[in-house]
Coordinates of all heavy atoms in Angstrom, one line a residue:
L78 N 92.6 113.2 84.4 CA 93.9 113.9 84.2 C 93.9 114.5 82.8 O 93.4 113.9 81.9 CB 95.0 113.0 84.4 CG 95.2 112.3 85.7 CD1 96.5 111.4 85.7 CD2 95.3 113.3 86.9
T84 N 101.4 113.5 80.5 CA 102.7 113.6 80.0 C 103.7 113.9 81.1 O 104.8 113.3 81.1 CB 102.8 114.8 79.0 OG1 101.7 114.5 78.0 CG2 104.1 114.8 78.2
R85 N 103.4 114.8 82.0 CA 104.4 115.2 83.0 C 104.4 114.4 84.2 O 105.5 114.0 84.7 CB 104.2 116.7 83.3 CG 104.3 117.6 82.0 CD 104.3 119.0 82.2 NE 105.4 119.4 83.1 CZ 105.2 120.2 84.1 NH1 104.0 120.6 84.5 NH2 106.3 120.5 84.8
A207 N 117.2 104.6 104.4 CA 116.9 106.0 103.9 C 116.3 106.8 105.0 O 116.7 108.0 105.2 CB 116.1 105.9 102.7
K299 N 117.8 73.0 67.1 CA 117.2 72.1 68.1 C 116.5 72.9 69.2 O 116.0 72.4 70.1 CB 118.4 71.3 68.8 CG 119.1 70.4 67.8 CD 118.3 69.1 67.7 CE 118.9 68.0 66.8 NZ 119.8 68.5 65.7
R301 N 114.5 76.9 70.2 CA 113.8 78.1 69.7 C 113.5 79.0 70.9 O 113.0 78.5 71.9 CB 112.6 77.6 69.0 CG 111.7 78.6 68.4 CD 110.9 78.0 67.3 NE 109.9 77.1 67.8 CZ 108.6 77.4 67.9 NH1 108.1 78.6 67.5 NH2 107.7 76.5 68.4
S309 N 104.7 98.8 75.7 CA 104.5 99.5 77.0 C 105.0 100.9 77.0 O 106.0 101.2 76.4 CB 105.2 98.6 78.1 OG 105.1 99.2 79.3
I330 N 120.4 88.1 65.4 CA 120.5 86.7 65.7 C 119.9 85.8 64.6 O 120.4 84.8 64.2 CB 119.9 86.4 67.1 CG1 120.7 87.2 68.1 CG2 119.9 84.9 67.4 CD1 120.0 87.2 69.5
D386 N 101.6 69.7 85.1 CA 102.4 68.5 84.7 C 103.7 68.4 85.5 O 104.4 67.3 85.5 CB 102.7 68.5 83.2 CG 103.6 69.8 82.8 OD1 103.3 70.9 83.5 OD2 104.4 69.7 81.9
R423 N 122.4 74.7 80.8 CA 122.1 73.8 81.9 C 120.6 73.5 82.1 O 120.2 72.4 82.3 CB 122.7 74.4 83.2 CG 122.2 73.7 84.5 CD 123.3 73.7 85.5 NE 122.8 73.6 86.9 CZ 122.1 72.6 87.4 NH1 121.8 71.6 86.6 NH2 121.7 72.6 88.6
M427 N 118.9 69.7 81.8 CA 118.6 69.2 83.1 C 117.8 67.9 83.0 O 116.9 67.8 82.2 CB 117.8 70.3 83.9 CG 117.7 69.9 85.4 SD 116.6 71.1 86.2 CE 117.8 72.5 86.4
A434 N 112.0 67.9 90.9 CA 112.3 68.2 92.3 C 112.4 69.7 92.5 O 112.1 70.2 93.6 CB 113.7 67.5 92.6
R440 N 105.8 75.1 93.1 CA 104.3 75.1 92.8 C 103.6 75.2 94.1 O 102.6 75.9 94.2 CB 104.0 73.8 92.1 CG 104.3 73.9 90.6 CD 103.9 72.6 89.9 NE 102.5 72.3 90.1 CZ 101.5 72.9 89.5 NH1 101.7 74.0 88.7 NH2 100.2 72.5 89.7
S471 N 98.1 106.2 121.6 CA 98.7 107.5 121.6 C 97.8 108.4 122.5 O 97.0 109.1 122.0 CB 98.8 108.1 120.2 OG 99.6 107.3 119.5
E533 N 104.5 98.7 147.9 CA 105.7 98.0 147.4 C 106.3 98.9 146.3 O 105.5 99.2 145.3 CB 105.2 96.7 146.8 CG 105.7 95.5 147.5 CD 105.2 94.2 146.8 OE1 105.4 94.1 145.6 OE2 104.8 93.3 147.5
E642 N 117.9 88.3 121.9 CA 117.2 89.3 121.1 C 117.9 90.6 121.2 O 118.7 90.9 122.1 CB 115.7 89.4 121.5 CG 115.6 89.8 122.9 CD 114.1 89.7 123.4 OE1 113.2 89.8 122.5 OE2 113.9 89.5 124.6
A678 N 102.5 102.2 137.0 CA 103.7 101.9 136.3 C 104.1 103.1 135.4 O 103.3 103.6 134.7 CB 103.5 100.6 135.4
E713 N 105.1 114.6 130.8 CA 106.0 115.3 129.9 C 107.5 115.1 130.3 O 108.3 115.1 129.4 CB 105.7 116.8 130.0 CG 104.4 117.3 129.4 CD 104.3 116.8 128.0 OE1 105.3 116.9 127.2 OE2 103.2 116.4 127.6

Side-chain angles (χ1 to χ4, degrees):
L78 300 180
T84 307
R85 301 184 62 231
K299 299 276 183 330
R301 180 155 69 102
S309 175
I330 299 169
D386 57 328
R423 164 146 159 61
M427 189 185 281
R440 285 183 51 73
S471 295
E533 248 181 45
E642 62 190 331
E713 291 304 321

